[in-house]
Amino acid sequence: AQKGILSADITSYPGYTGDANAISGTVNVTQKNFSVLTVTYDLYDTLPNDSGGLHIHENRTCDDAGDHYYRPNGKNSTDPWSSDVATYSSDENGHTSGSFDIASGYPYLANFEHAFVIHDGNGTRIGCGLLTPLAFGIHVHTGTTCDDADLVYNSYWTPEDDPDPWDNITYIPDGYGNATGWFTIDSGYSCTENEGHAFLVHGQENERLGCGLLKSELEDLNANTKALNVSPPPSVSPLEEEDDDNDAGLNGLMIALTMIGSFIGLVVLAGLWYTKNYPTNKEECENLETKRSYSTFGNQP
């Protein structure tokens, strides 16, 4: 699954007028485990042949980024951002790239919109950007199979000379790659015209990570209803046994029949609720606004 990525576009730190005031680049933060982050950076126009620190700071603004953002624990109260791990070294052109892991004590989502600051070798703040989550695409495609990548084709909308409405449909995963949500879209196709088409989940480079074929919820309900298997009530004691045994058997039968009757009643009520709230034929489906919900799940440690 696609893990969540907090990304910061780095520009010159507010008020900085030094030789690295044209600094640019990107910093991405992902979750390695609960409190360990992976920081990946690609920076341009820092000071040539320089080494400096790069850190998440406590505030959610670059105007006043505050101090380093970390949470001390019982074993170690030292600022992890002050270690040699969170440093970069630039080449003669001021370019630098790399990655490192750091245990800040805060999980992935706690770093949302915090300032990421770049320092020069003297500790001066030369660059900054706010960490915001990247979004990735989820789309209905023209193809009606997930078995052959070449037959999935592109996004499914009409008329095709209009802008692709799926370009703005995205999901935002958490640090483990889990996402859930819903959206509405006018693709030009009706509810029933989307049935059987491939629904794709894309990743950071727009690669295709997952695929499934769309089917109606009514189809699922019918399949589940046919699969219901109500166990028969327990057998009644033979007439030749003692009267007490007969009474116990009859009582057991009445209880079993009452439970089965209640269960059937719940199934009927559920069916009536579904019929009221969901389309039961093509005409009703055609009148619905096209609406999608989704869930994608990664692997939690």
Side-chain angles (χ1 to χ4, degrees), residues 199-213:
F199 192 94
L200 266 68
V201 178
H202 296 262
Q204 182 181 4
E205 304 297 332
N206 204 35
E207 69 274 25
R208 297 172 176 182
L209 301 179
C211 180
L213 299 183

Side-chain angles (χ1 to χ4, degrees), residues 228 230-233 252-270:
L228 288 177
V230 180
S231 300
L253 175 61
M254 292 302 295
I255 293 172
L257 289 176
T258 300
M259 293 177 65
I260 293 171
S262 299
F263 178 76
I264 293 173
L266 288 174
V267 172
V268 171
L269 287 175

Side-chain angles (χ1 to χ4, degrees), residues 84-108:
D84 293 337
V85 171
T87 59
Y88 69 90
S89 295
S90 62
D91 62 18
E92 66 275 12
N93 298 313
H95 175 253
T96 180
S97 62
S99 66
F100 58 88
D101 295 338
I102 190 162
S104 70
Y106 285 109
Y108 169 82

Side-chain angles (χ1 to χ4, degrees), residues 13 53 229:
Y13 194 88
N229 182 17

Side-chain angles (χ1 to χ4, degrees), residues 133-155:
L134 295 182
F136 313 105
I138 45 176
H139 319 122
V140 176
H141 279 239
T142 303
T144 56
T145 180
C146 291
D147 296 330
D148 188 338
D150 293 335
L151 299 180
V152 174
Y153 302 120
N154 295 320
S155 302

Side-chain angles (χ1 to χ4, degrees), residues 114-128:
H114 277 263
F116 199 101
V117 177
I118 313 299
H119 302 258
D120 67 12
N122 295 319
T124 302
R125 299 177 179 184
I126 62 175
C128 185

